[in-house]
Amino acid sequence: MFERIIQRENLQEAFKKIKKNNGSGGIDKVSIRQYEQNLDQNIQELERLLTQNRYVPLPARRVYIPKSNGKKRPLGIPAIKDRIVQEAIRSEVQPIFEKTFSDSSYGFRPGRSAISAINKVQEYSDQGYEYIVEADIRDFFTKINHQRLMSKIKEEIKDGKVRKLIWKFLKAGVMEEGKRKKEVSGTPQGGVISLLLANIYLNSFDHAIERSGLKFVRYADDFVILCKSAN
């Protein structure tokens, strides 16, 4: 799997995907447009570093965006080169975990969206599940336990080099106000791979709720549980 991830063609395809999503550059201040000006050379260098096990991701650039409740949500913006590697990893890893994911999980999965999650809630409501508990996991993306996450990844990903690459991203930290902060937990929102890692981390939670017989819909760290009565 590692060899497929670091192939030049795969890295080039990963660049095309992140280019479509646009977005600003990371702490190195290199934009997508600037990176593309020497794309072949940059991809070749990225492949070389990965092949020689010398690739080290930069800390993500920490920014804050306002939330509807007046608070601010922290985002971590990776450098373009790191976004490429993350996308290359995601393209190989996600199909493996998709086979294990709960049908109740709707966030950031192929063929699913916030609208499809809303439609599912409406479907359950129409079936008589009119009592709804709405909740979210407080500070979820900053509190993910790295060791526990890696244990879950190891269940499906046997290639140690791929796991090591993911571990590097978890430990890359963030840069805020010119200071690097090493993260002992969490995966910064804003990274290409962070949403997949979140779904992997919560997959056992999803299945546990389903086994209880409750109707359940989750989108990232927000979820609803639906019942036919209050008892």
Side-chain angles (χ1 to χ4, degrees):
M1 177 182 286
F2 180 78
E3 285 70 24
R4 290 197 303 271
I5 287 173
I6 67 172
Q7 282 180 352
R8 191 174 307 178
E9 295 79 8
N10 194 35
L11 296 173
Q12 289 170 335
E13 186 63 28
F15 174 79
K16 291 177 184 178
K17 291 178 180 178
I18 70 162
K19 181 183 176 181
K20 289 180 181 178
N21 294 327
N22 206 351
S24 58
I27 64 169
D28 58 0
K29 299 182 180 179
V30 176
S31 67
I32 289 177
R33 183 178 179 181
Q34 290 171 323
Y35 194 92
E36 190 175 24
Q37 288 176 352
N38 297 295
L39 183 60
D40 290 342
Q41 181 180 342
N42 288 331
I43 293 294
Q44 183 177 348
E45 175 65 7
L46 198 54
E47 180 189 34
R48 183 183 70 82
L49 292 173
L50 287 162
T51 302
Q52 297 176 357
N53 195 31
R54 295 175 57 197
Y55 168 78
V56 179
L58 293 171
R61 179 169 61 87
R62 173 61 56 81
V63 297
Y64 292 87
I65 60 172
K67 299 170 64 175
S68 58
N69 60 6
K71 297 182 180 180
K72 293 184 177 181
R73 182 188 302 275
L75 292 183
I77 310 299
I80 303 302
K81 68 180 185 68
D82 297 331
R83 243 179 280 176
I84 292 170
V85 178
Q86 286 191 23
E87 173 56 34
I89 295 171
R90 188 206 61 75
S91 66
E92 289 289 331
V93 170
Q94 181 146 357
I96 295 172
F97 278 97
E98 276 296 319
K99 301 173 185 177
T100 74
F101 284 161
S102 160
D103 285 339
S104 302
S105 167
Y106 285 83
F108 314 105
R109 295 180 59 190
R112 296 184 171 219
S113 65
I115 296 299
S116 55
I118 292 169
N119 289 339
K120 192 64 178 181
V121 172
Q122 184 62 57
E123 178 185 326
Y124 286 144
S125 179
D126 293 342
Q127 294 172 3
Y129 294 88
E130 298 178 349
Y131 291 84
I132 300 176
V133 177
E134 182 181 3
D136 67 80
I137 304 172
R138 180 181 296 175
D139 299 328
F140 170 68
F141 282 92
T142 62
K143 300 299 184 183
I144 292 176
N145 182 287
H146 288 168
Q147 295 291 349
R148 191 174 301 164
L149 172 61
M150 293 306 302
S151 294
K152 294 177 182 295
I153 291 172
K154 190 176 182 180
E155 291 175 7
E156 301 294 334
I157 305 301
K158 306 306 178 184
D159 191 327
K161 290 183 178 180
V162 176
R163 298 199 304 269
K164 184 177 180 180
L165 199 52
I166 294 172
W167 181 254
K168 285 182 178 181
F169 281 112
L170 291 174
K171 293 302 182 183
V174 298
M175 188 74 76
E176 185 174 359
E177 296 180 351
K179 296 181 180 179
R180 180 178 179 180
K181 295 183 178 180
K182 293 185 178 181
E183 303 288 6
V184 297
S185 65
T187 175
Q189 281 182 277
V192 175
I193 202 173
S194 63
L195 302 171
L196 170 60
L197 297 180
N199 279 334
I200 293 172
Y201 194 79
L202 288 175
N203 193 36
S204 57
F205 169 77
D206 296 341
H207 287 294
I209 296 293
E210 287 181 332
R211 285 194 300 270
S212 72
L214 295 169
K215 300 299 183 183
F216 169 69
V217 176
R218 179 178 67 80
Y219 193 92
D221 54 342
D222 297 288
F223 63 91
V224 295
I225 295 174
L226 302 96
C227 308
K228 286 188 175 180
S229 72
N231 299 322

